[in-house]
């Protein structure tokens, strides 16, 4: 185990096809972890190890590995760039201390680059930017730096200056050390460090001056020296860049082309120099789960342990030290030959196989059977895991994504990982009864791994429905079922997952009465619903007179009844953007009030919804198309036919960019249509934007 300040927990994130996996592969090769460089286009990479990844040339699942660089231990996660697998990026960034964001030198900031950038902002993750593919025609290092500043609002500061462009790209000037790094392109050779070529001395001095000015804006000591004209040492610059980067006040920008083996050594050096160790980031905070549960219960019973209802609970802190009580976050579940493996980030303390941990969500103790260090799909047994490490554990049967695992004697509840609601579903059916059992088993295992994948039985048709984030997501699921679980199943056409809302305001009243031999059941309730602004979510309230006759458990049961009703509107879809208020609850002496109140409140809510102009909502997708000028008209015309609203048309180099909002139901088969419209020369990305009122077809 390296000392904690010699550890880096690092993610590589980017838009699809910007070169993340190639960068990760070069890291591993230069560190001596692998001895042959695999290429994405040949399907031979270490980090893209799934068959589906190698065939498609994309990353689907976040792959973890560990390697050493200059006596530092680096835990690396290579994340997907495709929007269907956004959850993989989200849950990785939640547990990482730093990230390398890869940008294409030609395309610059692409739609998914923005998504991953904002995810990193959400978790305040320090970043380095690596502008890749600078050997490509049309690549522009200063253009992409400006793009990062303008489109992402980031304080991007170039700490390198490329030497040559496109085919002539041959090296970089290190503006901190005032040296030129010349790349041969041979994967086995480190860059040659030479003096800056005479013809570039002036431009390098200008670029260095701009870099120092940017650092001086953030560092008083550097500003003082700069204004007084004093020489600023390399050590002082390094320290100032590191401090500003860790404080998420600056993003150092580096240049290279990973496929041609140019720029990777200095990027690794920058990871060590400027990104934080676990000891440099603020200690993780959480709450006492016992207090959080009491507070949640006294509010309205909406949260259980493991939820985030911790307002008012005292904050607990866990410093990244081995001497602190153990606390870890399970951020990913994987199945290995049917056995469950839990990836976890250890924030404090140590753990060994055989130790008992408390799963805060279930409030049960679980025992770790084995610990591993992961390298893509290979693993190495560990005797002990320390604070700051990312490891995998076997034996934790109930753990799932976002669970806090901690020392039972010192419980703490860490913030969970947000998940995303599926927007697309399809029916799937097995060939016979025996295959149905295997199908259900496989779907259950995959739902455990992936929190954005859901499966349910349709009550009306008896069909099994699977739901996910997009067509590719479901296609991969069906493919994995066949290969990994040997399940041959027929999949229907993809269908849109709708929501329901109300357009007005309504009130409902219901009485629930049943005579049972043991004890009669009775409840009477009144509920009111009204619409909320689009995207504001559900809100459950109670406005019940404080009557001593109505005990808290009765009110909690009635509130649960409202939630039960909201999970399925008049057309069977969950409600969205509705305020639901419990107005009154009436009981009868001698009757079971909890069951009665829950059933009556649910029915009152359903009646209120019916009287408040219920309406269906559909998912609207943000679609971004990159297309040649000659096909622009055809692409816009096609989007209009799909009832799309074109939001903007811009330019990037010789390409045109079209941004539109289009109903998901009109986007099936779009990739094939776009290829035929543009002779295969356009690309597009699509991600969920919002739910909006369903327009008549």
């Amino acid at each position: 185990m390296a000392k904690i300040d010699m550890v880096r927990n690092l993610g590589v994130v980017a838009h699809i096809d910007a070169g993340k996996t190639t960068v990760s592969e070069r890291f591993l090769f230069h560190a001596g972890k692998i001895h042959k460089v695999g290429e994405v286009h040949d399907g031979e990479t270490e980090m893209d190890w799934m068959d589906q990844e190698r065939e498609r040339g994309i990353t689907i699942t976040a792959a973890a590995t560990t390697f050493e660089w200059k006596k530092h231990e680096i835990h690396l996660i290579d994340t997907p760039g495709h929007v269907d697998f956004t959850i993989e990026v989200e849950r990785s960034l939640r547990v990482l201390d730093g990230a390398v964001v890869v940008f294409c030198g030609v395309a610059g900031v692409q739609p998914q680059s923005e998504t991953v950038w904002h995810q990193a902002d959400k978790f305040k993750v320090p970043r380095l930017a690596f502008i890749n593919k600078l050997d490509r025609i049309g690549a522009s290092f200063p253009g992409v730096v400006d793009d990062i500043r303008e489109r992402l609002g980031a304080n991007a500061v170039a700490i390198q200056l490329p030497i040559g462009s496109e085919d002539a790209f041959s090296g970089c000037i290190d503006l901190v050390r005032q040296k030129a790094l010349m790349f041969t392109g041979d994967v086995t050779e480190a860059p040659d460090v030479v003096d800056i070529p005479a013809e570039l001395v002036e431009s390098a001095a200008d670029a260095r001056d701009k870099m120092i000015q940017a650092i001086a804006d953030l560092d008083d000591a550097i500003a003082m020296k700069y204004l007084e004209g004093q020489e600023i040492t390399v050590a002082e610059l390094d320290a100032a860049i590191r401090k500003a980067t860790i404080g998420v006040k600056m993003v150092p920008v580096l240049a290279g082309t990973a496929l041609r083996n140019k720029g990777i050594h200095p990027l690794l050096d920058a990871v060590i120099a400027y990104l934080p160790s676990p000891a440099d980031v603020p200690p993780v905070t959480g709450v006492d789960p016992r207090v959080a549960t009491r507070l949640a219960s006294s509010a309205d019973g909406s949260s259980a342990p493991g939820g985030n209802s911790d307002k008012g609970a005292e904050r607990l802190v866990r410093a990244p030290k081995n001497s602190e009580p153990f606390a870890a976050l399970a951020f990913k579940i994987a199945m290995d030959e049917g056995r469950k493996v839990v990836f976890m980030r250890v924030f404090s303390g140590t753990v060994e196989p055989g130790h008992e941990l408390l799963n805060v969500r279930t409030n049960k103790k679980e025992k770790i059977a084995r610990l591993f260090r992961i390298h893509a799909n290979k693993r190495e047994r560990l005797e002990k895991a320390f604070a700051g490490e990312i490891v995998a554990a076997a034996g934790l049967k109930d753990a799932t994504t976002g669970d806090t695992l901690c020392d039972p004697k010192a419980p703490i509840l860490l913030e969970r990982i947000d998940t995303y609601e599926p927007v697309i579903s399809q029916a799937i059916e097995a060939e016979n009864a025996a295959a149905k059992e295997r199908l259900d088993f496989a779907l259950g295992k995959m739902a455990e791994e992936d929190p954005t994948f859901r499966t349910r039985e349709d009550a009306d048709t008896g069909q099994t429905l699977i739901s996910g984030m997009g067509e590719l997501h479901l296609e991969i699921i069906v493919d994995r079922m066949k290969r990994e679980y040997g399940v041959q199943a027929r999949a229907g056409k993809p269908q849109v997952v709708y929501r329901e809302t109300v357009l007005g305001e309504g009130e409902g009243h219901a009485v629930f009465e049943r005579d049972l031999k043991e004890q009669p059941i009775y409840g009477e309730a009144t509920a009111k619903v009204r619409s909320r602004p689009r995207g504001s979510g559900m809100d459950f309230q109670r406005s019940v007179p404080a009557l001593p006759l109505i005990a808290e458990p009765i009110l909690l049961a009635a509130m649960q009844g409202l939630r039960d009703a909201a999970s399925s509107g008049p057309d069977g879809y969950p409600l969205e953007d509705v305020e639901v208020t419990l107005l009154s609850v009436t009981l009868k002496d001698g009757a079971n009030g909890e069951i009665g109140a829950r059933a009556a409140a649910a029915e009152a809510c359903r009646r209120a919804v019916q009287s408040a102009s219920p309406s269906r909502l559909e998912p609207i997708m943000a679609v971004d198309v990159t297309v040649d000028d000659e096909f622009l008209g055809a692409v816009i015309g096609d989007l209009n036919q799909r009832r799309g609203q074109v939001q903007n048309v811009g330019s990037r180099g010789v390409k045109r960019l079209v941004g539109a909002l289009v109903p998901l139901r009109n986007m099936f088969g779009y990739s094939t249509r776009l290829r035929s419209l543009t002779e295969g020369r356009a690309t597009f990305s699509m991600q969920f934007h919002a739910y909006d009122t369903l327009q008549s077809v």
Side-chain angles (χ1 to χ4, degrees), residues 26-63:
R26 296 306 186 269
F27 280 179
L28 296 178
F29 181 85
H30 292 318
K33 186 79 179 184
I34 57 175
H35 304 292
K36 174 179 178 289
V37 171
E39 305 299 359
V40 174
H41 51 264
D42 294 333
E44 293 178 349
T45 58
E46 282 281 312
M47 301 301 278
D48 283 352
W49 54 270
M50 288 170 65
D51 291 339
Q52 293 87 344
E53 293 177 313
R54 293 183 165 188
E55 286 165 12
R56 289 169 173 81
I58 62 169
T59 303
I60 291 167
T61 182

Side-chain angles (χ1 to χ4, degrees), residues 333-636:
I333 307 298
M335 293 297 162
D336 183 12
E337 296 174 354
R339 288 189 297 275
K340 185 170 178 176
V341 177
V342 178
F343 287 69
M344 60 184 184
R345 163 70 192 266
V346 181
F347 285 106
S348 64
T350 63
V351 69
E352 297 176 26
H355 276 190
E356 263 196 341
L357 301 178
L358 173 69
N359 182 332
V360 176
R361 179 181 56 85
T362 61
N363 201 27
K364 290 179 183 170
K365 293 177 186 172
E366 296 195 66
K367 192 173 280 189
I368 286 189
R370 292 180 301 284
L371 281 171
F372 305 100
R373 179 162 289 147
I374 298 291
H375 176 56
N377 61 336
K378 304 181 189 77
R379 45 197 211 179
E380 166 196 340
R381 287 284 282 271
L382 288 176
E383 294 307 312
K384 194 170 188 178
F386 298 89
E389 290 195 313
I390 290 173
V391 295
L396 302 171
K397 294 186 178 64
D398 294 331
T400 188
T401 299
D403 281 357
T404 302
L405 302 164
C406 62
D407 183 338
K409 297 192 193 72
I412 184 172
L413 169 60
L414 305 176
E415 186 183 343
R416 285 187 66 82
I417 296 170
D418 287 342
T419 186
Y420 297 86
E421 289 300 313
V423 295
I424 185 173
S425 67
Q426 66 187 126
I428 188 163
E429 58 185 38
E431 293 173 328
N432 51 48
K436 173 80 168 77
E437 275 187 35
R438 290 203 309 279
L439 172 69
D440 290 344
F441 174 79
L443 291 176
K445 291 290 186 187
M446 284 193 281
E448 269 197 87
E449 283 185 276
D450 183 351
T452 60
F453 171 65
R454 312 280 167 81
T455 174
R456 68 181 177 88
E457 292 274 324
D458 187 302
D460 297 329
T461 64
Q463 284 181 309
T464 300
L465 295 178
I466 57 175
S467 305
M469 300 302 292
E471 286 181 273
L472 179 63
H473 188 194
L474 295 186
E475 187 186 311
I476 298 289
I477 292 281
V478 173
D479 195 33
R480 284 186 60 200
M481 271 194 320
K482 290 175 183 170
R483 297 192 198 202
E484 292 175 32
Y485 296 95
V487 177
Q488 296 297 324
R490 290 186 295 273
K493 283 187 176 177
Q495 305 288 324
V496 172
V497 175
Y498 293 102
R499 292 278 187 276
E500 293 183 64
T501 192
V502 296
L503 302 180
E505 195 169 306
E507 201 169 291
H509 176 81
V511 176
F512 184 86
E513 193 166 11
R514 292 281 187 280
D515 279 326
L516 294 179
K517 288 175 185 173
E518 300 87 12
Q519 187 183 27
I521 298 170
Y522 182 87
E524 187 177 343
T526 308
K528 182 176 79 173
V529 299
R530 68 175 179 186
S531 62
R532 301 186 77 207
R534 261 326 129 255
S536 55
M538 296 295 294
D539 184 26
F540 296 91
Q541 299 186 358
R542 64 193 199 198
S543 177
V544 183
L547 297 173
L549 298 172
I550 303 175
E552 189 67 21
I554 302 290
L555 290 176
L556 294 181
M559 294 302 291
Q560 188 55 49
L562 298 183
R563 285 186 180 77
D564 295 344
S567 67
S568 180
D571 289 344
Y573 299 105
L575 292 180
E576 187 91 5
D577 302 338
V578 179
E579 180 185 289
V580 186
T581 307
L582 181 68
L583 296 179
S584 71
V585 180
T586 309
L587 306 174
K588 191 182 278 184
D589 285 347
N592 184 321
E594 282 192 40
I595 297 173
R598 181 168 177 170
E603 183 56 31
C605 178
R606 282 191 277 270
R607 290 177 183 178
V609 168
Q610 287 286 13
S611 67
S613 305
S615 174
R616 202 182 285 188
L617 296 173
E618 65 175 335
I620 305 295
M621 309 305 281
V623 180
D624 290 277
V625 186
T626 305
V627 61
D628 292 338
D629 206 26
E630 62 188 288
F631 303 116
L632 181 65
V635 165
I636 290 176

